[in-house]
Amino acid sequence: DLLEHTAVVVGDGARSLADRTVGLLTGQRRITVPDMQAKIACQAAGLGHGFVPRACVRVELETGVLVELAVEEPRPPETFWLAWRSDASGRAQQWWRERLNRPLLPGILPY
């Protein structure tokens, strides 16, 4: 059923890695957006569907703007890696590490 409908996907911003596709079906129409906020906005506007972390759309689900539907083949869990140079300890890295402790992240990232 999903193949018949447009998927909204976040474009891969990696410059030095090969492109990769996750959660799309071969031949599926898609709208590519730059970030998760744009993806959610497109879905809320009814332009397409896609997988998003529940923590990012909690309000939209509670208010009925978006609807969560079960799929026959759920998206498999995906490993998420964060890394930084251990010999770098500047202000930018300190800022980044502080942001990792924000309350929203535990809802998005697996434990």
Side-chain angles (χ1 to χ4, degrees):
D1 291 339
L2 293 178
L3 185 58
E4 302 297 320
H5 302 281
T6 302
V8 181
V9 299
V10 176
D12 187 354
R15 294 182 180 160
S16 61
L17 300 174
D19 286 347
R20 67 185 206 127
T21 302
V22 178
L24 286 174
L25 303 169
T26 303
Q28 188 172 27
R29 291 183 317 264
R30 66 191 78 168
I31 297 171
T32 303
V33 296
D35 56 39
M36 187 62 73
Q37 290 81 11
K39 178 176 181 165
I40 293 167
C42 283
Q43 289 178 312
L47 300 177
H49 67 86
F51 295 96
V52 295
R54 279 187 196 96
C56 292
V57 292
R58 182 183 54 79
V59 172
E60 289 85 349
L61 290 171
E62 289 174 358
T63 59
V65 171
L66 292 177
V67 178
E68 181 178 9
L69 299 173
V71 292
E72 212 172 281
E73 295 180 33
R75 185 172 168 179
E78 191 172 336
T79 301
F80 184 81
W81 299 91
L82 294 174
W84 51 81
R85 290 176 42 170
S86 60
D87 64 341
S89 58
R91 291 178 59 200
Q93 186 189 80
Q94 179 183 356
W95 177 90
W96 175 244
R97 292 175 72 174
E98 287 170 1
R99 294 311 176 276
L100 292 176
N101 288 320
R102 291 184 305 178
L104 178 61
L105 286 174
I108 296 173
L109 302 177
Y111 292 95

mmCIF file of all heavy atoms in Angstrom, residues 39-83:
data_model
loop_
_atom_site.group_PDB
_atom_site.id
_atom_site.type_symbol
_atom_site.label_atom_id
_atom_site.label_comp_id
_atom_site.label_asym_id
_atom_site.label_seq_id
_atom_site.Cartn_x
_atom_site.Cartn_y
_atom_site.Cartn_z
ATOM 1 N N LYS A 39 10.327 17.595 7.110
ATOM 2 C CA LYS A 39 9.636 16.327 6.866
ATOM 3 C C LYS A 39 8.307 16.296 7.618
ATOM 4 O O LYS A 39 7.262 15.952 7.059
ATOM 5 C CB LYS A 39 10.529 15.160 7.295
ATOM 6 C CG LYS A 39 9.873 13.808 7.122
ATOM 7 C CD LYS A 39 10.837 12.689 7.466
ATOM 8 C CE LYS A 39 10.157 11.344 7.270
ATOM 9 N NZ LYS A 39 11.094 10.233 7.235
ATOM 10 N N ILE A 40 8.347 16.677 8.876
ATOM 11 C CA ILE A 40 7.128 16.680 9.697
ATOM 12 C C ILE A 40 6.125 17.682 9.128
ATOM 13 O O ILE A 40 4.926 17.391 9.037
ATOM 14 C CB ILE A 40 7.477 16.972 11.161
ATOM 15 C CG1 ILE A 40 8.284 15.798 11.737
ATOM 16 C CG2 ILE A 40 6.210 17.223 11.990
ATOM 17 C CD1 ILE A 40 8.963 16.087 13.060
ATOM 18 N N ALA A 41 6.594 18.855 8.708
ATOM 19 C CA ALA A 41 5.695 19.869 8.130
ATOM 20 C C ALA A 41 5.025 19.351 6.859
ATOM 21 O O ALA A 41 3.823 19.560 6.653
ATOM 22 C CB ALA A 41 6.470 21.153 7.849
ATOM 23 N N CYS A 42 5.777 18.660 6.008
ATOM 24 C CA CYS A 42 5.200 18.090 4.783
ATOM 25 C C CYS A 42 4.152 17.033 5.107
ATOM 26 O O CYS A 42 3.095 16.986 4.477
ATOM 27 C CB CYS A 42 6.294 17.485 3.906
ATOM 28 S SG CYS A 42 7.254 18.692 2.988
ATOM 29 N N GLN A 43 4.450 16.204 6.088
ATOM 30 C CA GLN A 43 3.485 15.176 6.458
ATOM 31 C C GLN A 43 2.239 15.810 7.073
ATOM 32 O O GLN A 43 1.121 15.392 6.769
ATOM 33 C CB GLN A 43 4.121 14.176 7.423
ATOM 34 C CG GLN A 43 5.148 13.303 6.721
ATOM 35 C CD GLN A 43 5.823 12.332 7.652
ATOM 36 O OE1 GLN A 43 6.274 12.703 8.734
ATOM 37 N NE2 GLN A 43 5.905 11.093 7.240
ATOM 38 N N ALA A 44 2.412 16.816 7.914
ATOM 39 C CA ALA A 44 1.267 17.501 8.523
ATOM 40 C C ALA A 44 0.414 18.194 7.461
ATOM 41 O O ALA A 44 -0.804 18.306 7.606
ATOM 42 C CB ALA A 44 1.749 18.507 9.562
ATOM 43 N N ALA A 45 1.044 18.625 6.367
ATOM 44 C CA ALA A 45 0.313 19.267 5.270
ATOM 45 C C ALA A 45 -0.344 18.256 4.335
ATOM 46 O O ALA A 45 -1.017 18.632 3.383
ATOM 47 C CB ALA A 45 1.265 20.171 4.479
ATOM 48 N N GLY A 46 -0.105 16.960 4.593
ATOM 49 C CA GLY A 46 -0.737 15.924 3.784
ATOM 50 C C GLY A 46 -0.030 15.632 2.469
ATOM 51 O O GLY A 46 -0.625 15.059 1.567
ATOM 52 N N LEU A 47 1.244 16.008 2.372
ATOM 53 C CA LEU A 47 1.968 15.809 1.113
ATOM 54 C C LEU A 47 2.554 14.414 0.959
ATOM 55 O O LEU A 47 2.962 14.036 -0.134
ATOM 56 C CB LEU A 47 3.089 16.848 1.000
ATOM 57 C CG LEU A 47 2.633 18.299 1.007
ATOM 58 C CD1 LEU A 47 3.829 19.232 0.967
ATOM 59 C CD2 LEU A 47 1.688 18.563 -0.169
ATOM 60 N N GLY A 48 2.643 13.666 2.048
ATOM 61 C CA GLY A 48 3.207 12.326 1.967
ATOM 62 C C GLY A 48 3.292 11.687 3.339
ATOM 63 O O GLY A 48 2.799 12.223 4.325
ATOM 64 N N HIS A 49 3.934 10.538 3.381
ATOM 65 C CA HIS A 49 4.059 9.770 4.624
ATOM 66 C C HIS A 49 5.529 9.465 4.876
ATOM 67 O O HIS A 49 6.388 9.677 4.019
ATOM 68 C CB HIS A 49 3.273 8.458 4.537
ATOM 69 C CG HIS A 49 3.859 7.514 3.528
ATOM 70 N ND1 HIS A 49 4.881 6.653 3.832
ATOM 71 C CD2 HIS A 49 3.592 7.323 2.213
ATOM 72 C CE1 HIS A 49 5.209 5.961 2.746
ATOM 73 N NE2 HIS A 49 4.432 6.354 1.746
ATOM 74 N N GLY A 50 5.812 8.965 6.071
ATOM 75 C CA GLY A 50 7.177 8.553 6.377
ATOM 76 C C GLY A 50 7.329 8.203 7.841
ATOM 77 O O GLY A 50 6.458 8.487 8.661
ATOM 78 N N PHE A 51 8.448 7.579 8.135
ATOM 79 C CA PHE A 51 8.762 7.194 9.504
ATOM 80 C C PHE A 51 9.439 8.368 10.212
ATOM 81 O O PHE A 51 10.366 8.961 9.667
ATOM 82 C CB PHE A 51 9.714 5.990 9.511
ATOM 83 C CG PHE A 51 9.100 4.748 8.926
ATOM 84 C CD1 PHE A 51 9.308 4.411 7.600
ATOM 85 C CD2 PHE A 51 8.321 3.921 9.713
ATOM 86 C CE1 PHE A 51 8.744 3.266 7.058
ATOM 87 C CE2 PHE A 51 7.750 2.774 9.186
ATOM 88 C CZ PHE A 51 7.964 2.444 7.859
ATOM 89 N N VAL A 52 8.972 8.702 11.411
ATOM 90 C CA VAL A 52 9.596 9.746 12.230
ATOM 91 C C VAL A 52 9.601 9.275 13.681
ATOM 92 O O VAL A 52 8.732 8.499 14.096
ATOM 93 C CB VAL A 52 8.862 11.105 12.126
ATOM 94 C CG1 VAL A 52 8.964 11.680 10.731
ATOM 95 C CG2 VAL A 52 7.420 10.991 12.537
ATOM 96 N N PRO A 53 10.561 9.720 14.471
ATOM 97 C CA PRO A 53 10.560 9.357 15.899
ATOM 98 C C PRO A 53 9.315 9.904 16.591
ATOM 99 O O PRO A 53 8.947 11.068 16.393
ATOM 100 C CB PRO A 53 11.826 10.030 16.442
ATOM 101 C CG PRO A 53 12.687 10.273 15.247
ATOM 102 C CD PRO A 53 11.740 10.507 14.102
ATOM 103 N N ARG A 54 8.652 9.082 17.382
ATOM 104 C CA ARG A 54 7.442 9.516 18.084
ATOM 105 C C ARG A 54 7.687 10.771 18.911
ATOM 106 O O ARG A 54 6.820 11.630 19.013
ATOM 107 C CB ARG A 54 6.933 8.401 19.008
ATOM 108 C CG ARG A 54 6.146 7.358 18.309
ATOM 109 C CD ARG A 54 5.535 6.373 19.314
ATOM 110 N NE ARG A 54 5.099 5.189 18.610
ATOM 111 C CZ ARG A 54 5.811 4.082 18.503
ATOM 112 N NH1 ARG A 54 6.989 3.991 19.061
ATOM 113 N NH2 ARG A 54 5.331 3.056 17.836
ATOM 114 N N ALA A 55 8.859 10.856 19.540
ATOM 115 C CA ALA A 55 9.157 12.015 20.379
ATOM 116 C C ALA A 55 9.131 13.321 19.599
ATOM 117 O O ALA A 55 8.855 14.377 20.157
ATOM 118 C CB ALA A 55 10.520 11.837 21.055
ATOM 119 N N CYS A 56 9.376 13.257 18.307
ATOM 120 C CA CYS A 56 9.382 14.471 17.473
ATOM 121 C C CYS A 56 7.974 14.903 17.074
ATOM 122 O O CYS A 56 7.782 16.045 16.662
ATOM 123 C CB CYS A 56 10.210 14.245 16.211
ATOM 124 S SG CYS A 56 11.963 14.058 16.509
ATOM 125 N N VAL A 57 6.996 14.012 17.150
ATOM 126 C CA VAL A 57 5.636 14.329 16.693
ATOM 127 C C VAL A 57 4.596 14.059 17.775
ATOM 128 O O VAL A 57 3.419 13.881 17.472
ATOM 129 C CB VAL A 57 5.281 13.550 15.398
ATOM 130 C CG1 VAL A 57 6.104 14.050 14.230
ATOM 131 C CG2 VAL A 57 5.446 12.058 15.584
ATOM 132 N N ARG A 58 5.024 14.080 19.021
ATOM 133 C CA ARG A 58 4.114 13.796 20.135
ATOM 134 C C ARG A 58 2.878 14.695 20.091
ATOM 135 O O ARG A 58 1.743 14.224 20.162
ATOM 136 C CB ARG A 58 4.845 13.946 21.466
ATOM 137 C CG ARG A 58 3.990 13.625 22.674
ATOM 138 C CD ARG A 58 4.736 13.867 23.976
ATOM 139 N NE ARG A 58 5.295 15.208 24.073
ATOM 140 C CZ ARG A 58 4.594 16.311 24.385
ATOM 141 N NH1 ARG A 58 3.303 16.218 24.618
ATOM 142 N NH2 ARG A 58 5.175 17.481 24.456
ATOM 143 N N VAL A 59 3.084 15.999 19.937
ATOM 144 C CA VAL A 59 1.966 16.944 19.920
ATOM 145 C C VAL A 59 1.071 16.707 18.709
ATOM 146 O O VAL A 59 -0.157 16.700 18.834
ATOM 147 C CB VAL A 59 2.490 18.404 19.943
ATOM 148 C CG1 VAL A 59 1.362 19.397 19.731
ATOM 149 C CG2 VAL A 59 3.211 18.683 21.252
ATOM 150 N N GLU A 60 1.668 16.477 17.555
ATOM 151 C CA GLU A 60 0.885 16.244 16.344
ATOM 152 C C GLU A 60 0.035 14.979 16.460
ATOM 153 O O GLU A 60 -1.087 14.932 15.969
ATOM 154 C CB GLU A 60 1.798 16.155 15.115
ATOM 155 C CG GLU A 60 2.427 17.477 14.705
ATOM 156 C CD GLU A 60 3.706 17.804 15.469
ATOM 157 O OE1 GLU A 60 4.036 17.124 16.470
ATOM 158 O OE2 GLU A 60 4.385 18.772 15.064
ATOM 159 N N LEU A 61 0.564 13.960 17.124
ATOM 160 C CA LEU A 61 -0.205 12.733 17.331
ATOM 161 C C LEU A 61 -1.338 12.969 18.329
ATOM 162 O O LEU A 61 -2.467 12.515 18.120
ATOM 163 C CB LEU A 61 0.704 11.602 17.822
ATOM 164 C CG LEU A 61 1.701 11.055 16.801
ATOM 165 C CD1 LEU A 61 2.676 10.101 17.482
ATOM 166 C CD2 LEU A 61 0.993 10.384 15.647
ATOM 167 N N GLU A 62 -1.034 13.694 19.408
ATOM 168 C CA GLU A 62 -2.057 13.953 20.436
ATOM 169 C C GLU A 62 -3.195 14.816 19.907
ATOM 170 O O GLU A 62 -4.343 14.650 20.322
ATOM 171 C CB GLU A 62 -1.414 14.626 21.650
ATOM 172 C CG GLU A 62 -0.528 13.703 22.459
ATOM 173 C CD GLU A 62 0.228 14.415 23.568
ATOM 174 O OE1 GLU A 62 0.104 15.657 23.706
ATOM 175 O OE2 GLU A 62 0.971 13.726 24.304
ATOM 176 N N THR A 63 -2.897 15.740 19.008
ATOM 177 C CA THR A 63 -3.929 16.639 18.484
ATOM 178 C C THR A 63 -4.592 16.113 17.223
ATOM 179 O O THR A 63 -5.524 16.743 16.704
ATOM 180 C CB THR A 63 -3.328 18.038 18.196
ATOM 181 O OG1 THR A 63 -2.269 17.900 17.247
ATOM 182 C CG2 THR A 63 -2.833 18.687 19.476
ATOM 183 N N GLY A 64 -4.121 14.982 16.697
ATOM 184 C CA GLY A 64 -4.723 14.402 15.510
ATOM 185 C C GLY A 64 -4.231 14.993 14.202
ATOM 186 O O GLY A 64 -4.754 14.655 13.134
ATOM 187 N N VAL A 65 -3.230 15.873 14.251
ATOM 188 C CA VAL A 65 -2.663 16.420 13.023
ATOM 189 C C VAL A 65 -2.008 15.301 12.226
ATOM 190 O O VAL A 65 -2.112 15.250 11.006
ATOM 191 C CB VAL A 65 -1.644 17.551 13.340
ATOM 192 C CG1 VAL A 65 -0.875 17.979 12.107
ATOM 193 C CG2 VAL A 65 -2.365 18.729 13.979
ATOM 194 N N LEU A 66 -1.322 14.405 12.924
ATOM 195 C CA LEU A 66 -0.736 13.210 12.312
ATOM 196 C C LEU A 66 -1.335 11.975 12.957
ATOM 197 O O LEU A 66 -1.780 12.007 14.101
ATOM 198 C CB LEU A 66 0.790 13.202 12.492
ATOM 199 C CG LEU A 66 1.573 14.258 11.732
ATOM 200 C CD1 LEU A 66 3.049 14.167 12.084
ATOM 201 C CD2 LEU A 66 1.369 14.145 10.234
ATOM 202 N N VAL A 67 -1.335 10.883 12.217
ATOM 203 C CA VAL A 67 -1.876 9.615 12.692
ATOM 204 C C VAL A 67 -0.802 8.545 12.548
ATOM 205 O O VAL A 67 -0.148 8.458 11.504
ATOM 206 C CB VAL A 67 -3.127 9.213 11.874
ATOM 207 C CG1 VAL A 67 -3.661 7.875 12.340
ATOM 208 C CG2 VAL A 67 -4.190 10.293 11.969
ATOM 209 N N GLU A 68 -0.623 7.748 13.582
ATOM 210 C CA GLU A 68 0.320 6.637 13.523
ATOM 211 C C GLU A 68 -0.413 5.395 13.028
ATOM 212 O O GLU A 68 -1.462 5.034 13.557
ATOM 213 C CB GLU A 68 0.902 6.364 14.909
ATOM 214 C CG GLU A 68 1.899 5.239 14.938
ATOM 215 C CD GLU A 68 2.504 5.029 16.314
ATOM 216 O OE1 GLU A 68 2.027 5.634 17.292
ATOM 217 O OE2 GLU A 68 3.449 4.233 16.412
ATOM 218 N N LEU A 69 0.135 4.774 12.001
ATOM 219 C CA LEU A 69 -0.456 3.561 11.444
ATOM 220 C C LEU A 69 0.545 2.424 11.511
ATOM 221 O O LEU A 69 1.747 2.628 11.317
ATOM 222 C CB LEU A 69 -0.861 3.780 9.983
ATOM 223 C CG LEU A 69 -1.903 4.868 9.712
ATOM 224 C CD1 LEU A 69 -2.077 5.073 8.216
ATOM 225 C CD2 LEU A 69 -3.221 4.509 10.368
ATOM 226 N N ALA A 70 0.047 1.239 11.759
ATOM 227 C CA ALA A 70 0.911 0.061 11.744
ATOM 228 C C ALA A 70 1.192 -0.326 10.298
ATOM 229 O O ALA A 70 0.338 -0.152 9.425
ATOM 230 C CB ALA A 70 0.229 -1.096 12.470
ATOM 231 N N VAL A 71 2.383 -0.830 10.055
ATOM 232 C CA VAL A 71 2.737 -1.312 8.720
ATOM 233 C C VAL A 71 3.045 -2.800 8.806
ATOM 234 O O VAL A 71 3.399 -3.319 9.856
ATOM 235 C CB VAL A 71 3.943 -0.543 8.124
ATOM 236 C CG1 VAL A 71 3.567 0.895 7.830
ATOM 237 C CG2 VAL A 71 5.132 -0.595 9.034
ATOM 238 N N GLU A 72 2.872 -3.466 7.676
ATOM 239 C CA GLU A 72 3.092 -4.909 7.630
ATOM 240 C C GLU A 72 4.539 -5.268 7.950
ATOM 241 O O GLU A 72 4.812 -6.238 8.641
ATOM 242 C CB GLU A 72 2.715 -5.412 6.232
ATOM 243 C CG GLU A 72 2.172 -6.810 6.218
ATOM 244 C CD GLU A 72 1.660 -7.152 4.838
ATOM 245 O OE1 GLU A 72 0.537 -6.729 4.490
ATOM 246 O OE2 GLU A 72 2.395 -7.854 4.109
ATOM 247 N N GLU A 73 5.468 -4.492 7.407
ATOM 248 C CA GLU A 73 6.886 -4.723 7.654
ATOM 249 C C GLU A 73 7.473 -3.489 8.327
ATOM 250 O O GLU A 73 7.874 -2.539 7.654
ATOM 251 C CB GLU A 73 7.620 -4.998 6.338
ATOM 252 C CG GLU A 73 7.183 -6.278 5.663
ATOM 253 C CD GLU A 73 7.929 -6.504 4.361
ATOM 254 O OE1 GLU A 73 9.103 -6.113 4.251
ATOM 255 O OE2 GLU A 73 7.305 -7.072 3.450
ATOM 256 N N PRO A 74 7.500 -3.474 9.667
ATOM 257 C CA PRO A 74 8.024 -2.300 10.367
ATOM 258 C C PRO A 74 9.475 -2.019 9.998
ATOM 259 O O PRO A 74 10.230 -2.921 9.623
ATOM 260 C CB PRO A 74 7.923 -2.676 11.845
ATOM 261 C CG PRO A 74 7.005 -3.838 11.903
ATOM 262 C CD PRO A 74 7.083 -4.524 10.574
ATOM 263 N N ARG A 75 9.832 -0.776 10.102
ATOM 264 C CA ARG A 75 11.210 -0.379 9.836
ATOM 265 C C ARG A 75 12.104 -0.997 10.906
ATOM 266 O O ARG A 75 11.831 -0.882 12.096
ATOM 267 C CB ARG A 75 11.303 1.144 9.884
ATOM 268 C CG ARG A 75 12.640 1.668 9.507
ATOM 269 C CD ARG A 75 12.579 3.161 9.382
ATOM 270 N NE ARG A 75 13.919 3.680 9.293
ATOM 271 C CZ ARG A 75 14.195 4.938 9.162
ATOM 272 N NH1 ARG A 75 13.228 5.816 9.128
ATOM 273 N NH2 ARG A 75 15.434 5.345 9.084
ATOM 274 N N PRO A 76 13.180 -1.652 10.496
ATOM 275 C CA PRO A 76 14.049 -2.292 11.493
ATOM 276 C C PRO A 76 14.783 -1.245 12.326
ATOM 277 O O PRO A 76 15.016 -0.128 11.860
ATOM 278 C CB PRO A 76 15.034 -3.099 10.638
ATOM 279 C CG PRO A 76 15.008 -2.458 9.303
ATOM 280 C CD PRO A 76 13.648 -1.851 9.139
ATOM 281 N N PRO A 77 15.149 -1.595 13.560
ATOM 282 C CA PRO A 77 15.924 -0.658 14.386
ATOM 283 C C PRO A 77 17.214 -0.281 13.667
ATOM 284 O O PRO A 77 17.784 -1.083 12.924
ATOM 285 C CB PRO A 77 16.234 -1.457 15.658
ATOM 286 C CG PRO A 77 15.265 -2.581 15.661
ATOM 287 C CD PRO A 77 14.911 -2.857 14.231
ATOM 288 N N GLU A 78 17.636 0.941 13.872
ATOM 289 C CA GLU A 78 18.838 1.426 13.202
ATOM 290 C C GLU A 78 19.838 1.906 14.243
ATOM 291 O O GLU A 78 19.476 2.596 15.190
ATOM 292 C CB GLU A 78 18.465 2.577 12.270
ATOM 293 C CG GLU A 78 19.561 2.980 11.347
ATOM 294 C CD GLU A 78 19.095 3.978 10.311
ATOM 295 O OE1 GLU A 78 17.896 4.030 10.005
ATOM 296 O OE2 GLU A 78 19.948 4.720 9.814
ATOM 297 N N THR A 79 21.081 1.523 14.073
ATOM 298 C CA THR A 79 22.127 1.965 14.983
ATOM 299 C C THR A 79 22.475 3.410 14.672
ATOM 300 O O THR A 79 22.615 3.791 13.519
ATOM 301 C CB THR A 79 23.384 1.088 14.826
ATOM 302 O OG1 THR A 79 23.018 -0.268 15.090
ATOM 303 C CG2 THR A 79 24.476 1.516 15.783
ATOM 304 N N PHE A 80 22.593 4.212 15.703
ATOM 305 C CA PHE A 80 22.921 5.621 15.572
ATOM 306 C C PHE A 80 24.239 5.854 16.294
ATOM 307 O O PHE A 80 24.374 5.523 17.464
ATOM 308 C CB PHE A 80 21.803 6.456 16.212
ATOM 309 C CG PHE A 80 21.982 7.929 16.045
ATOM 310 C CD1 PHE A 80 21.614 8.552 14.871
ATOM 311 C CD2 PHE A 80 22.492 8.692 17.079
ATOM 312 C CE1 PHE A 80 21.761 9.922 14.719
ATOM 313 C CE2 PHE A 80 22.642 10.054 16.938
ATOM 314 C CZ PHE A 80 22.276 10.668 15.755
ATOM 315 N N TRP A 81 25.214 6.375 15.581
ATOM 316 C CA TRP A 81 26.544 6.582 16.153
ATOM 317 C C TRP A 81 26.867 8.062 16.227
ATOM 318 O O TRP A 81 26.606 8.804 15.297
ATOM 319 C CB TRP A 81 27.608 5.904 15.291
ATOM 320 C CG TRP A 81 27.438 4.433 15.187
ATOM 321 C CD1 TRP A 81 26.728 3.749 14.229
ATOM 322 C CD2 TRP A 81 27.950 3.437 16.059
ATOM 323 N NE1 TRP A 81 26.790 2.409 14.452
ATOM 324 C CE2 TRP A 81 27.535 2.182 15.570
ATOM 325 C CE3 TRP A 81 28.737 3.480 17.206
ATOM 326 C CZ2 TRP A 81 27.869 0.999 16.189
ATOM 327 C CZ3 TRP A 81 29.075 2.297 17.821
ATOM 328 C CH2 TRP A 81 28.636 1.078 17.317
ATOM 329 N N LEU A 82 27.450 8.463 17.335
ATOM 330 C CA LEU A 82 27.986 9.805 17.493
ATOM 331 C C LEU A 82 29.461 9.660 17.824
ATOM 332 O O LEU A 82 29.842 8.807 18.622
ATOM 333 C CB LEU A 82 27.294 10.550 18.634
ATOM 334 C CG LEU A 82 25.817 10.861 18.446
ATOM 335 C CD1 LEU A 82 25.247 11.461 19.719
ATOM 336 C CD2 LEU A 82 25.617 11.811 17.291
ATOM 337 N N ALA A 83 30.274 10.485 17.223
ATOM 338 C CA ALA A 83 31.711 10.390 17.480
ATOM 339 C C ALA A 83 32.342 11.766 17.399
ATOM 340 O O ALA A 83 31.830 12.658 16.717
ATOM 341 C CB ALA A 83 32.361 9.458 16.457
#
